[in-house]
Amino acid sequence: QPALSNKPRKKKKKRKSKKISAGETLEDNDLEDIDSLLEKIEDTNGLSQQSQGGIIADSRPLLYVEHRNLNPENELKRYFGARAVLGDQRPRQRQRQYVRSTWLTAPKNTWPRYSKTGIAMQLLDTRRGVQHFTFEHHREYQQVQFKFLDAIESMDPNNLVLLLQLNPYHVDSLLQLSDVCLMQEDQEMARDLIERALYSLECAFHPVFSLTSGTCRLDYRRPENRAFFLALFKHLMFLEKRGCPRTALEFCKLILSLDPENDPLCVLLLIDFLALRAREYTFLTRMFQEWESHRNLSQLPNFAFSVPLAYFFLSRQEERSALELSQARERAARLLQLALIMFPSVLMPLLDHCSVQPDARVASHSFFGLKAQISQPPALNQLTALYVGRTHALWKDTAVMAWLETNVHEVLRMVDARDPLVEEAEHKRKMRYQSAPRNIYRHVILSEMKEATAALPLEVTSQPVMGFDPLPPLDSIVSYTRPERTNQPSNESTLSLFFRSLLPNFNLQGDVRHDGDEEAGAGQDLNQGVNRLMAAMRDMLVNIQFQEPPRDDNPDGDGDWD
């Protein structure tokens, strides 16, 4: 009996010791992994990780998204260590009352308690292994959406705040109020509102919808889907400013995978910059090789210059073979020369942003001179201004500048020798880039790059642009429309009351709606209201007449003027 009774005790002791040892080894392994990663980053400047990651990524789809790369804390841990990033957050997480596992963002204790908002996602169809989804607004959410449009028309941000207090997870209100916070330079609150919008949308995902497969599609023409695109884009912009380019790149790949054919937010103008900042050079060169044949990426200035820059950085990785290094150097030089020939207007603004003075031969040559700036079409001017304003910091390295100078002189030699490539590139510039598509304008507006925004055409800058739906597609698929309103709104803003006092006939919302306007969607109501306001202001200014003061030589004047 004593032998039998002792056996289970021994087993229990063994089990306990196993658990303790397993826990200890897990913590030790985590710390060792973090330390080893930091050593690699310090020793090789992060390039050895890239070479290993490039080999793994080659066997996966190009736009494959990894869940672990969607969390900015994982990237910050690699740079600073887990203890520096997490600090005392671990015990607080155990006290949280509600936890819902999400990939895009983690809910915070400061957020209101989540409840169903009235947003759902439906699977429309499956074609050739690609699944097409759409968000849907239930009736109660539609009513909140109508109240949101009323709040926008009132031109009073307090109405948005009041609406969010009653509906804390209304997505469009969160997006618009985030823009208001940015105007007031409250970056932290603006970022928090975008994360809350992403959390609300992710809670409505269809069970089959996958972020990582790259085969799930959303149509931007449907207004219900646009909030997801915009929230992802604004979130990645905050991540890039926060110093998490690898996480921002993963979100950029996610946006592109939702509609790679149309690319409604034109993230192709941004993905190269994020890849270079994250040192994902292999990804960028692979994307150029796979997509160049059917997407003509070399016709975009950002890819034309960023891809040779990626090859240049690859050619400096000492752990690669001598053959790979020489091939990378040759490709980098050849592609950079083609880029300079195709887009000569990039060089001088780029050197100016980098505070570099060109030598006498380059400065005096007409090929890179002022003529190259003036002669290019306006659409091309927007693309070059966007690229230079965004990526000029990547070209400031001394080795990069020396490599650029060598290839600039080689291009000038080709120009003086009347190489046929130069004339062919000039012909392409004149024939193409006559007008930019709508998604490029949308990207420029969302990027808020001063150099590119100044180059926008008048037809874009003259119309009102709202943060929750900038430049909506002209072929929108509208599922529900805003009902007609006969009564005047009771909560008018001070500005609206001011114009009504001056102009009794002024009506921001408009009383008459034609039958054919029902398909225009809720967004047109806001545009028409703002246009009425601008027209009323113009009429008021035209009708204002100033009385001239009497002159001294006027015999009829009484000399008094007030």
Side-chain angles (χ1 to χ4, degrees):
Q1 286 181 353
L4 292 172
S5 61
N6 287 335
K7 282 185 179 179
R9 289 180 185 173
K10 289 181 180 178
K11 287 183 179 178
K12 286 182 180 177
K13 287 181 180 177
K14 287 181 180 178
R15 286 174 187 167
K16 288 181 181 178
S17 63
K18 284 181 180 177
K19 288 181 181 177
I20 294 170
S21 62
E24 288 176 353
T25 52
L26 281 174
E27 290 180 0
D28 293 340
N29 288 338
D30 288 342
L31 293 174
E32 288 176 3
D33 290 343
I34 293 167
D35 294 336
S36 62
L37 284 171
L38 287 172
E39 287 176 3
K40 287 181 180 179
I41 292 172
E42 291 173 357
D43 296 341
T44 64
N45 211 11
L47 298 179
S48 63
Q49 276 187 320
Q50 168 57 33
S51 61
Q52 295 172 1
I55 297 169
I56 297 171
D58 288 342
S59 61
R60 298 172 178 174
L62 180 67
L63 298 179
Y64 179 81
V65 176
E66 292 186 72
H67 280 143
R68 63 186 179 89
N69 288 331
L70 292 173
N71 188 353
E73 286 189 356
N74 292 335
E75 184 173 3
L76 293 174
K77 285 177 194 175
R78 290 198 295 268
Y79 299 149
F80 307 110
R83 292 176 182 172
V85 175
L86 295 177
D88 57 346
Q89 292 181 11
R90 287 177 179 175
R92 290 182 184 177
Q93 290 180 354
R94 295 174 185 172
Q95 299 174 2
R96 186 185 294 160
Q97 297 177 358
Y98 60 98
V99 175
R100 179 162 184 164
S101 178
T102 52
W103 293 112
L104 297 178
T105 128
K108 300 179 181 178
N109 294 328
T110 56
W111 290 359
R113 189 178 184 88
Y114 178 80
S115 59
K116 290 187 177 180
T117 58
I119 303 180
M121 180 184 277
Q122 295 295 329
L123 175 61
L124 295 177
D125 58 0
T126 303
R127 298 191 299 267
R128 298 179 181 177
V130 177
Q131 297 168 318
H132 296 263
F133 294 86
T134 183
F135 284 98
E136 290 183 348
H137 294 171
H138 295 165
R139 184 173 296 274
E140 60 271 17
Y141 193 90
Q142 293 179 16
Q143 298 302 319
V144 179
Q145 188 73 12
F146 298 149
K147 293 179 182 178
F148 164 72
L149 294 174
D150 293 341
I152 290 295
E153 289 183 354
S154 70
M155 301 182 187
D156 188 357
N158 294 321
N159 291 335
L160 277 180
V161 176
L162 181 61
L163 183 65
L164 272 177
Q165 288 177 352
L166 301 174
N167 307 276
Y169 286 94
H170 181 256
V171 178
D172 283 350
S173 297
L174 292 168
L175 294 178
Q176 191 67 36
L177 193 59
S178 174
D179 287 352
V180 175
C181 292
L182 278 179
M183 293 177 186
Q184 298 175 352
E185 298 183 356
D186 191 349
Q187 297 276 343
E188 190 66 29
M189 178 59 69
R191 189 180 72 187
D192 188 77
L193 293 171
I194 294 298
E195 291 180 1
R196 203 199 300 181
L198 279 177
Y199 178 73
S200 176
L201 290 167
E202 188 173 2
C203 289
F205 278 178
H206 192 277
V208 186
F209 186 81
S210 172
L211 296 170
T212 60
S213 65
T215 58
C216 296
R217 302 285 185 266
L218 287 173
D219 194 344
Y220 193 81
R221 293 176 300 171
R222 298 181 180 270
E224 297 88 345
N225 295 336
R226 293 173 197 164
F228 189 51
F229 282 89
L230 295 169
L232 288 173
F233 188 89
K234 294 183 179 185
H235 185 56
L236 79 84
M237 296 298 287
F238 282 122
L239 288 171
E240 192 273 327
K241 292 177 183 177
R242 191 181 172 188
C244 300
R246 183 66 187 86
T247 311
L249 175 63
E250 209 71 9
F251 274 92
C252 195
K253 288 159 62 177
L254 174 58
I255 297 174
L256 190 57
S257 70
L258 294 175
D259 193 354
E261 290 81 16
N262 299 311
D263 191 11
L265 300 186
C266 209
V267 292
L268 281 177
L269 298 178
L270 174 66
I271 196 168
D272 63 299
F273 168 67
L274 296 176
L276 288 173
R277 278 213 59 200
R279 293 172 179 165
E280 292 288 330
Y281 309 126
T282 307
F283 166 77
L284 182 57
T285 55
R286 181 192 170 196
M287 185 177 193
F288 182 75
Q289 292 169 4
E290 293 185 8
W291 284 33
E292 169 62 16
S293 59
H294 66 283
R295 297 296 289 267
N296 291 325
L297 296 181
S298 60
Q299 302 306 304
L300 294 173
N302 58 309
F303 270 92
F305 282 89
S306 291
V307 172
L309 187 59
Y311 275 118
F312 174 75
F313 287 131
L314 286 174
S315 69
R316 302 178 68 192
Q317 294 183 353
E318 298 178 356
E319 67 274 10
R320 295 182 176 271
S321 65
L323 179 61
E324 289 178 337
L325 294 178
S326 63
Q327 289 177 348
R329 279 193 294 269
E330 291 175 3
R331 289 176 183 173
R334 180 61 178 165
L335 289 174
L336 181 61
Q337 292 168 18
L338 291 175
L340 290 168
I341 292 173
M342 186 66 195
F343 306 107
S345 61
V346 172
L347 180 64
M348 289 304 181
L350 182 62
L351 295 178
D352 185 48
H353 276 73
C354 295
S355 302
V356 173
Q357 189 72 23
D359 58 20
R361 185 189 177 196
V362 176
S364 61
H365 205 287
S366 61
F367 185 72
F368 293 114
L370 189 61
K371 181 182 177 182
Q373 309 284 334
I374 300 174
S375 62
Q376 69 177 2
L380 182 56
N381 189 25
Q382 295 154 20
L383 295 177
T384 55
L386 185 69
Y387 178 73
V388 171
R390 178 175 280 156
T391 61
H392 63 89
L394 299 173
W395 292 82
K396 287 185 176 181
D397 186 70
T398 308
V400 174
M401 271 296 162
W403 167 69
L404 175 63
E405 182 182 8
T406 303
N407 288 281
V408 165
H409 284 288
E410 180 63 24
V411 167
L412 290 181
R413 186 194 63 77
M414 296 170 66
V415 172
D416 294 337
R418 299 187 180 276
D419 194 294
L421 284 175
V422 179
E423 186 177 352
E424 182 183 349
E426 185 179 0
H427 178 69
K428 287 181 180 179
R429 284 197 302 274
K430 290 180 179 179
M431 298 299 295
R432 303 171 184 175
Y433 313 106
Q434 294 301 319
S435 62
R438 200 171 178 85
N439 61 340
I440 290 183
Y441 294 147
R442 198 177 293 127
H443 178 91
V444 171
I445 291 171
L446 289 172
S447 300
E448 298 180 353
M449 195 71 60
K450 293 180 181 179
E451 295 87 353
T453 308
L456 286 172
L458 185 61
E459 61 266 18
V460 176
T461 56
S462 61
Q463 57 180 305
V465 177
M466 295 300 164
F468 69 96
D469 191 9
L471 296 182
L474 301 177
D475 55 347
S476 297
I477 303 175
V478 180
S479 58
Y480 66 93
T481 56
R482 192 177 180 185
E484 295 184 5
R485 294 178 302 159
T486 55
N487 298 328
Q488 297 295 338
S490 57
N491 54 345
E492 293 187 48
S493 67
T494 307
L495 186 63
S496 180
L497 291 172
F498 170 70
F499 278 102
R500 189 178 296 280
S501 65
L502 294 175
L503 306 162
N505 296 327
F506 168 70
N507 182 11
L508 182 61
Q509 284 78 17
D511 337 81
V512 182
R513 177 179 293 186
H514 301 287
D515 297 336
D517 294 342
E518 293 182 357
E519 299 179 356
Q524 276 196 350
D525 295 339
L526 181 58
N527 294 343
Q528 292 173 1
V530 176
N531 289 335
R532 290 192 189 95
L533 175 61
M534 299 303 295
M537 290 179 64
R538 282 194 294 268
D539 293 340
M540 183 183 70
L541 294 174
V542 167
N543 294 326
I544 291 178
Q545 296 180 355
F546 296 97
Q547 182 180 359
E548 294 184 359
R551 299 178 180 176
D552 295 337
D553 56 351
N554 185 8
D556 299 331
D558 55 3
D560 295 330
W561 176 62
D562 52 3

